[in-house]
Amino acid sequence: MTIDRRNFLKLLGAGAGAGSLYGCAGAPAVSVVSEILPKTGRRVVVIGGGYGGTIAAKYVRMYDRSIEVVLIERNRQFVSCPFSNLYIGGIMKDLTPLTIGYDKLAANHGIKMVYDEVTAIDPAAKKVVVRGGTIAYDQLIVSPGVDFRLDEIKGYDPKQTPDVMPHAWKAGEQTLLLRNQLVAMKDGGTVLITVPLTPYRCPPGPYERASMIAMYLKQAKPKSKLIVLDSNPDIVSKAGLFKKGWAKHYQGILEYRGAKKVTEVDTKSKTVLVEGLEAVTGDVINLIPPQRAGHIAVAAGLVGPDKNWCPVNPTTFESTIHKGIHVIGDASIAGAMPKSGYSANSQAKACALNLVAAMNGKELTEFSGINTCYSFITAKEAVEVTGVYKVDKGAIVAAAGSVGVSPDLSELEAIYAESWLKNILTEMST
Ligand SMILES: Cc1cc2nc3c(=O)[nH]c(=O)nc-3n(C[C@H](O)[C@H](O)[C@H](O)COP(=O)(O)OP(=O)(O)OC[C@H]3O[C@@H](n4cnc5c(N)ncnc54)[C@H](O)[C@@H]3O)c2cc1C
């Protein structure tokens, strides 16, 4: 849906309903059309306090302290998807090491936090609507992550199916649920992981998850089996390394089946159907649905002709659809860059740099980005893929010779991975 004035007023109406509900639930009743933070100077609003949004907010303030930054996030705490597979596999005892708050970030950089849900964006009026009112901006950065294309899975009930077949593709309650189901499963049970077609958040993520679950089964439930039903014809990232690791550690436990796209589910019989034909039943089913940009980006008409992802200028990350709105992280179409936390971090810095330059009438800097994705194969051994990215002929491409993977599974990579997580979460929260 492209958002014109009429659509925006309709969404305001929807917001008004939510606004009064919000009041009924105990919070002070507010008029949804009131500006909750009247603007006095230049302002950048950032939607989403995850891997992209925290860094964009911080770097705008670091580059120019005279610009006010408002970061809007629906949750008071953020739980990192990176390393959540280690919790599912039982290496990490709880999600505390993956959970960050926003107090220090806000205090250190003078960022104004608004804990609320953005329900609409009005590019013409340069306002976003939250449940509590409206917030005006001069420039907007949108980093809402992903949501799911549930209409592509027959029988999927958004209220009930995730309880029976958790996706655990947004970290938090879903991660806990999947782990609990694995712990409760009898020895001799079958676990299924279904992988959507690319592009999706974190290309190696499902295969790291398969490794972690296989590791847990090998230790705790050795008569059990894990089947990976991949919509893609083959493993989409670090394929050689995953295959090597699985052959070395998980033979007889982990069975990989490529080109098996799940199109239908039946929660009662705990069955998934491949292309509506081949039924596969599991005791624990980790159903990872196909994905698209976070709902707010779709509702605001920021997605391109594919209706899923947001086209952007590769140097500034400004939307090619709406001026003054920038999209970074998983939601954006960033050429060859994979949808990862590290990519989102890199894009946030480049976006902030050029946004501040443009606001101050200064020259723009060519985009240069980096990505490294680590994956654990066992509790101690990990592998990585790395790439450096630049703009060529209007698109983000990998710099020649920059993309590579680890030569082998290694304990050193696992140490690097742990330090990567510590650094990036500290950067996001301080
Ligand atoms: C299992 C798994 C493992 C992964 N491992 C790695 C890894 O090892 N390395 C790596 O680099 N990446 C990894 N990733 C990918 C990484 O998590 C994502 O690429 C990254 O989080 C993208 O950042 P983002 O800012 O686009 O979205 P997010 O980090 O998801 O942030 C989006 C934020 O926006 C908020 N939000 C959304 N809509 C609204 C709204 N309307 N109003 C208010 N707030 C809103 C959300 O609450 C959320 O906090 C992994 C992902 C998974 C699922």
Side-chain angles (χ1 to χ4, degrees), residues 199-268:
Y200 59 80
R201 154 176 286 186
C202 193
Y207 313 110
E208 179 188 59
R209 178 164 295 169
S211 309
M212 290 294 95
I213 292 180
M215 177 192 71
Y216 170 68
L217 297 180
K218 187 175 170 181
Q219 290 161 356
K221 310 202 169 175
K223 290 185 222 139
S224 309
K225 190 171 158 181
L226 167 65
I227 301 173
V228 180
L229 296 174
D230 195 341
S231 305
N232 302 286
D234 197 1
I235 295 172
V236 302
S237 175
K238 296 178 261 193
L241 289 165
F242 280 113
K243 284 177 189 169
K244 192 170 181 183
W246 294 351
K248 185 172 165 196
H249 296 288
Y250 306 126
Q251 246 177 23
I253 296 176
L254 194 164
E255 182 187 331
Y256 175 82
R257 301 183 192 166
K260 297 285 180 188
K261 184 175 167 198
V262 168
T263 51
E264 201 171 329
V265 294
D266 178 27
T267 46
K268 276 205 191 89

Side-chain angles (χ1 to χ4, degrees), residues 80-356:
S80 164
C81 282
F83 272 63
S84 61
N85 286 332
L86 277 69
Y87 172 78
I88 291 167
I91 300 174
M92 202 173 260
K93 294 300 157 218
D94 58 42
L95 296 178
T96 311
L98 306 185
T99 306
I100 56 170
Y102 299 97
D103 291 353
K104 277 194 200 152
L105 178 78
N108 290 349
H109 300 280
I111 294 166
K112 293 189 177 150
M113 286 302 303
V114 173
Y115 296 104
D116 207 332
E117 174 89 21
V118 178
T119 56
I121 301 170
D122 180 357
K126 293 200 159 193
K127 278 176 193 276
V128 303
V129 183
V130 292
R131 293 190 194 284
T134 60
I135 300 175
Y137 64 82
D138 294 304
Q139 296 289 330
L140 180 65
I141 301 176
V142 183
S143 191
V146 293
D147 273 305
F148 302 120
R149 282 153 36 205
L150 299 177
D151 49 335
E152 292 178 21
I153 304 175
K154 210 171 149 195
Y156 197 104
D157 172 355
K159 288 212 176 96
Q160 189 237 344
T161 311
D163 291 344
V164 184
M165 302 179 176
H167 52 76
W169 220 240
K170 293 186 184 189
E173 283 189 12
Q174 278 278 304
T175 318
L176 300 173
L177 181 62
L178 180 57
R179 170 72 188 161
N180 289 344
Q181 290 188 359
L182 287 168
V183 171
M185 188 185 80
K186 64 177 189 301
D187 190 7
T190 300
V191 182
L192 299 182
I193 300 179
T194 78
V195 185
L197 280 174
T198 55
Y200 59 80
R201 154 176 286 186
C202 193
Y207 313 110
E208 179 188 59
R209 178 164 295 169
S211 309
M212 290 294 95
I213 292 180
M215 177 192 71
Y216 170 68
L217 297 180
K218 187 175 170 181
Q219 290 161 356
K221 310 202 169 175
K223 290 185 222 139
S224 309
K225 190 171 158 181
L226 167 65
I227 301 173
V228 180
L229 296 174
D230 195 341
S231 305
N232 302 286
D234 197 1
I235 295 172
V236 302
S237 175
K238 296 178 261 193
L241 289 165
F242 280 113
K243 284 177 189 169
K244 192 170 181 183
W246 294 351
K248 185 172 165 196
H249 296 288
Y250 306 126
Q251 246 177 23
I253 296 176
L254 194 164
E255 182 187 331
Y256 175 82
R257 301 183 192 166
K260 297 285 180 188
K261 184 175 167 198
V262 168
T263 51
E264 201 171 329
V265 294
D266 178 27
T267 46
K268 276 205 191 89
S269 62
K270 287 206 171 175
T271 303
V272 301
L273 270 98
V274 175
E275 302 290 359
L277 292 170
E278 183 191 344
V280 188
T281 301
D283 297 286
V284 174
I285 302 177
N286 172 208
L287 187 96
I288 307 170
Q291 293 156 37
R292 67 172 161 227
H295 177 69
I296 188 62
V298 179
L302 289 164
V303 291
D306 69 358
K307 297 194 167 78
N308 293 328
W309 307 107
C310 306
V312 292
N313 174 306
T315 301
T316 60
F317 287 85
E318 184 169 25
S319 160
T320 55
I321 299 172
H322 288 303
K323 275 204 148 313
I325 303 183
H326 307 256
V327 187
I328 56 171
D330 290 350
S332 67
I333 301 173
M337 284 188 104
K339 295 190 185 301
S340 76
Y342 204 164
S343 294
N345 176 293
S346 238
Q347 293 159 10
K349 288 170 183 166
C351 173
L353 176 70
N354 279 328
L355 186 54
V356 171

Side-chain angles (χ1 to χ4, degrees), residues 397-414:
V397 298
S402 75
V403 178
V405 298
S406 334
D408 209 338
L409 283 64
S410 107
E411 293 194 10
L412 204 52
E413 292 285 20

